[in-house]
Every structure is written in structure tokens, then in C-alpha cells.
Amino acid sequence: PKLYRSVIEDVINDVRDIFLDDGVDEQVLMELKTLWENKLMQSRAVDGFHSEEQQLLLQVQQQHQPQQQQHHHHHHHQQAQPQQTVPQQAQTQQVLIPASQQATAPQVIVPDSKLIQHMNASNMSAAATAATLALPAGVTPVQQILTNSGQLLQVVRAANGAQYIFQPQQSVVLQQQVIPQMQPGGVQAPVIQQVLAPLPGGISPQTGVIIQPQQILFTGNKTQVIPTTVAAPTPAQAQITATGQQQPQAQPAQTQAPLVLQVDGTGDTSSEEDEDEEEDYDDDEEEDKEKDGAEDGQVEEEPLNSEDDVSDEEGQELFDTENVVVCQYDKIHRSKNKWKFHLKDGIMNLNGRDYIFSKAIGDAEW
Amino acid sequence: MSYQLYRSTTLGNSLQESLDELIQSQQFTQLALQVLIQFDKAINRVRNRVDFSGSLNTYRFCHMPCMTFIFNDIELQKVIELIKVDKVKIMACDDKNTGYNTTE
């Protein structure tokens, strides 16, 4: 809602000072803002305001992209396929370069996808990744982080129903080329990502990807599989998938196992007990599992099995979003089994959408 | 005192994710913390109203001033719209004196 916009603005402004104090360029701040907004848009819980404006600006700036290519810079060109209401055109992105920073602001404004690339001065090779994501409604943003010797970060987001094709282009030496693709016509389109394994560096690319259902990476040279997890990505998690990267993982089925983890969870492996109970754990266990890394769906399923008998059914509904409300309480009261709640200042996430309240009063029976 | 509990919201999550990404490409970890702190402050200025009623399923008082409730088949009523959900987890922290939820 609009409120979110104002919060974002406030936060960004507040941190701007900090950023400057710290000696970090304002561009970074803008990136942060853009990233932030993009994710919000992706979650579909909030409407995008700024992003739309920025989209238009980006389109204009696309033309500048080719000019920015330099041996130290990577140029990423992004093309989105227009769908839905929001016309999303190709977006240009800029690479951050420690040595020099482009004056152009295009990187600042990246409505739907943003690419950040960090290049080592000495290193020229970088993995290029192209990812297209299509997410069903209420899906969390997808991020793909590909780290390579050159540290390439790529964030691609796709709004619900919209597809973005990301196409990095590298003017510098590159052994890799990424060919993005994708086009799912329907809402739930499989996500395909192509990652290029680099190079000479001999360093296995580490990709951290957080996503939602089904992502399979294909590359001309190598294939990577990215497990799906929905938790907040962290570098640690990101590297979990590094295990099988260099070798094509010819087990899409298996890779999808973890992908499906969220939905069916342990239902696949352990069907001895009630599958319902197991699935119930997914909601609660997901967060833990995701943090541990979803490299192998099998691994996580085991602990779940063992917990079968321990706790009750935590929740029946297996939804992508467990509806969560964070707030503060004024008073919580109970009489026998009658509860009264006086809550305030809360943010709710229900059925994928966000709501806010300054005050909430409720009753419940236990 | 600002609670960090808002970081798990969509807003907060996306901010954290963005920061993580930037951290990977840049190095300003401490700066990221600063950003989050600012976020905590900024987010504590939110207003709106909604009522709700439903049936409680579980509750936990494990973490000091914070309580967690899990409701089943709850019906939330905003001024303009009614929202029904089968399961809701509410995490609430005491705004008053931290640590005690007895009175006030």
C-alpha cells in the first residue's frame, strides 16, 4: 500500500546519510532501493509505484547500454516480455565497478530486474547468467546469485504472470555466453535459468538461488540445478547448490524433489505415517530446512520423518504463504478458554497479500 | 525501543535480501546493519485498523516479551474488506515494559 511506499522512502532517506558517511556511493543506495522495490513487487503484496516510473526511464536508457561496455564492465541487457498490464520492456542494467562507476543512472532504476556485477580488477571472466522467471501469483521473488571468480550477481525477478528474460552480454573476454529463454505462456511457467560456468579461474561457480518452484539451469556447457527454497537468501545458503554445479545434473527429477519440497515435502519419501502430518511440518520446518540448504530434498525429509510423532499437527493448510502477522500487543486476556486480544501496529501477510493495522481487537476460543 | 520483529515482513525481508545481495558485491556489512536498524525505526510508524475473530489453536509464551499465537479458521475484518484464512500465526511483542505482559 501507499504506506509501504512512504516507509521505503523514509528508510532510504534515513540510510542515505549512513551510506554517505560510510563512503559508499549513492549508487549503491539506489541499487538497494531498486532491489528492495523489486522484491516487493514480486511478492505481489504491494503495488509498485516507483518501479513503474522507473521502467519508463529504463527504456530510455537502454540505448545507452552499448556505450558502457568496457573491458572491465559487463553489460547486461535485459529483455522482458510484456505481459499483463505492466508493459515491461527491456531493461538495462549496469554493472557496478569498483574501479569506476558509470555516471549513467540506469542502474539506479531497474524496475524489474537488476543485475549487479562485481568484477575483480584482475579477473576478466565472469559468469553470465540469464534467468527467466515466471512465478505464479503470490510467489516470492526469485533471486539468483551467481558467484564466480568474478562475482556476478544477478537478480531477476518476475512478477506474477510476467516473464522476464535476462540476457547478459559481455563485451569482455568471455568464454561464456548466456542465452536466456523462456517463455511460459501460462502463469506457472517453469523457470529456466542458464548459467554459465566460467572459466579459466577454475573456481566452481557458486550459485545461490532462492526460488520458488522449479528451476532448472541449462547452459551450453553445463547445467546447474537450483533447488527451490523460499527463505531469505544468504550467502551461506547460496552456496549450498554449489555441490553439483560443474557437472550437469541430469536429474531434473531429483532436483525437482527439493523444489517440490515445499509443497509435498516429505510426502514423497516417507509415506508411512500420515502424509498430512508430514506436510504440516513443512510450514514450520520450512524455515529451518531452507536455512540448512535445500541441496537435497532427501536430507531434509529425514529429520522431518523423525519428528513425526513428536509434535502435533502444526498446521493444516499447506499454503505457499503461511499467513503471518507481526504486531505488538496492548493486552492479551484470557478467561478459561476465551481469549481476548488487543493488538496494535501490526503488519499482516494474508494469502500472500499485505495488510497493516494500527489496532486490532479479537476474540478467540481455545 | 524498536522491535526487530518487523523484519520478517515482506517489506523487511526484501530489504534484507537486497542488502545481502549488495553485500556480496560490495563490502559493507556493518552498513547493512545500520540499514536494518533504520528500517526498524522507520517501520514503527504504521497506522490502520482491523478487527478479527476466530478460533485459537495454539499459543506460546516462550520468548520473553513476545507471544506467538496460531489461529485456525480466523476471520479478519478490515474496515472495508473481510479476510478469511484457515491459519494465522500472530507474533506479538509487548510494547509496554518489555518482559511483562501482566498488566498493561
Side-chain angles (χ1 to χ4, degrees):
Chain A
K2 294 174 192 163
L3 183 103
Y4 277 18
R5 292 291 137 201
S6 69
V7 169
I8 292 178
E9 289 300 319
D10 287 344
V11 172
I12 297 281
N13 287 329
D14 287 342
V15 300
R16 174 175 287 125
D17 292 340
I18 300 178
F19 268 67
L20 296 179
D21 286 347
D22 216 42
V24 183
D25 202 23
E26 168 128 353
Q27 280 182 335
V28 178
L29 179 66
M30 285 301 119
E31 276 180 43
L32 175 63
K33 175 176 182 187
T34 313
L35 274 176
W36 194 8
E37 286 173 356
N38 288 343
K39 287 177 209 272
L40 284 178
M41 299 256 296
Q42 289 221 321
S43 73
R44 281 312 188 128
V46 187
D47 297 332
F49 294 158
H50 291 275
S51 297
E52 290 180 7
E53 299 174 357
Q54 292 173 355
Q55 272 186 3
L56 301 178
L57 291 175
L58 274 188
Q59 294 176 8
V60 175
Q61 293 170 355
Q62 283 182 357
Q63 302 169 357
H64 296 291
Q65 283 299 320
Q67 299 172 358
Q68 295 171 353
Q69 291 181 357
Q70 293 180 10
H71 63 282
H72 282 297
H73 303 281
H74 290 279
H75 174 65
H76 299 278
H77 185 70
Q78 188 176 36
Q79 293 177 353
Q81 295 186 350
Q83 281 191 356
Q84 306 298 333
T85 58
V86 178
Q88 289 163 347
Q89 305 299 325
Q91 297 171 356
T92 58
Q93 294 185 345
Q94 226 170 19
V95 177
L96 280 187
I97 291 156
S100 62
Q101 292 178 349
Q102 296 298 327
T104 55
Q107 64 180 159
V108 173
I109 308 170
V110 178
D112 294 322
S113 58
K114 180 163 185 175
L115 178 66
I116 300 175
Q117 186 174 24
H118 181 73
M119 288 292 293
N120 294 333
S122 59
N123 185 3
M124 64 300 165
S125 59
T129 57
T132 351
L133 302 174
L135 299 175
V139 170
T140 60
V142 177
Q143 298 174 354
Q144 183 177 16
I145 301 174
L146 184 66
T147 59
N148 196 347
S149 56
Q151 289 185 350
L152 174 62
L153 291 182
Q154 211 175 41
V155 176
V156 177
R157 303 202 184 92
N160 179 20
Q163 298 166 2
Y164 297 82
I165 294 177
F166 192 83
Q167 216 174 16
Q169 295 175 355
Q170 296 174 352
S171 58
V172 187
V173 168
L174 301 175
Q175 311 172 352
Q176 302 121 12
Q177 290 187 348
V178 177
I179 300 172
Q181 306 187 351
M182 264 322 329
Q183 304 263 359
V187 175
Q188 296 176 348
V191 176
I192 295 178
Q193 295 179 348
Q194 293 185 350
V195 179
L196 294 183
L199 20 138
I203 298 173
S204 63
Q206 298 172 348
T207 56
V209 176
I210 295 152
I211 334 143
Q212 280 256 351
Q214 309 155 4
Q215 286 187 349
I216 298 176
L217 294 182
F218 288 88
T219 59
N221 301 331
K222 300 175 186 181
T223 60
Q224 291 184 355
V225 176
I226 297 178
T228 53
T229 53
V230 175
T234 58
Q237 294 176 358
Q239 298 174 0
I240 290 169
T241 60
T243 53
Q245 292 176 356
Q246 298 210 332
Q247 298 173 358
Q249 294 182 353
Q251 295 169 354
Q254 217 176 23
T255 54
Q256 287 185 0
L259 299 181
V260 181
L261 183 64
Q262 204 166 10
V263 180
D264 290 334
T266 57
D268 292 340
T269 55
S270 60
S271 55
E272 297 175 355
E273 305 295 335
D274 289 342
E275 290 189 3
D276 290 342
E277 290 182 356
E278 293 170 2
E279 289 175 354
D280 292 336
Y281 291 115
D282 288 346
D283 283 342
D284 292 320
E285 298 302 323
E286 266 174 8
E287 293 179 1
D288 295 338
K289 288 184 308 190
E290 290 163 354
K291 286 182 184 165
D292 294 342
E295 29 181 275
D296 207 0
Q298 305 294 331
V299 176
E300 290 153 2
E301 290 170 358
E302 290 177 1
L304 283 180
N305 293 344
S306 60
E307 294 184 35
D308 252 339
D309 297 321
V310 176
S311 48
D312 311 335
E313 294 188 2
E314 299 278 352
Q316 304 268 338
E317 181 165 74
L318 204 54
F319 220 56
D320 269 1
T321 47
E322 175 185 307
N323 306 305
V324 179
V325 176
V326 283
C327 58
Q328 300 174 18
Y329 60 81
D330 267 342
K331 183 179 282 195
I332 306 254
H333 179 76
R334 175 192 73 84
S335 288
K336 296 220 165 128
N337 71 333
K338 302 278 190 273
W339 287 80
K340 291 189 192 297
F341 305 89
H342 289 245
L343 305 176
K344 66 180 189 183
D345 295 341
I347 301 182
M348 313 191 284
N349 181 275
L350 305 171
N351 298 325
R353 298 227 11 160
D354 272 9
Y355 307 91
I356 300 188
F357 65 86
S358 66
K359 187 173 167 189
I361 298 183
D363 288 293
E365 279 189 29
W366 184 64
Chain B
M1 168 66 182
S2 307
Y3 288 95
Q4 299 188 4
L5 93 149
Y6 289 102
R7 296 193 190 175
S8 63
T9 61
T10 315
L11 204 55
N13 262 335
S14 28
L15 179 57
Q16 297 202 70
E17 290 172 5
S18 310
L19 284 175
D20 285 339
E21 291 168 12
L22 291 182
I23 286 177
Q24 289 195 6
S25 62
Q26 312 273 333
Q27 290 85 12
F28 54 23
T29 328
Q30 53 184 346
L31 185 60
L33 289 178
Q34 293 283 337
V35 173
L36 285 173
I37 293 176
Q38 283 295 330
F39 172 77
D40 290 336
K41 291 185 195 163
I43 201 73
N44 278 282
R45 313 168 195 166
V46 178
R47 305 293 119 166
N48 226 336
R49 162 125 189 187
V50 69
D51 291 328
F52 63 90
S53 75
S55 51
L56 181 66
N57 186 335
T58 330
Y59 54 90
R60 302 176 194 157
F61 297 163
C62 304
H63 302 279
M64 267 283 277
C66 294
M67 304 175 52
T68 308
F69 300 94
I70 299 181
F71 293 82
N72 285 124
D73 296 329
I74 202 102
E75 208 174 277
L76 286 89
Q77 165 88 48
K78 275 186 64 133
V79 179
I80 41 186
E81 52 183 301
L82 178 65
I83 310 160
K84 294 186 188 177
V85 286
D86 291 336
K87 174 181 169 191
V88 166
K89 178 201 257 185
I90 294 189
M91 301 191 292
C93 281
D94 191 0
D95 186 37
K96 306 305 189 326
N97 317 327
T98 56
Y100 299 96
N101 62 332
T102 50
T103 55
E104 287 285 324

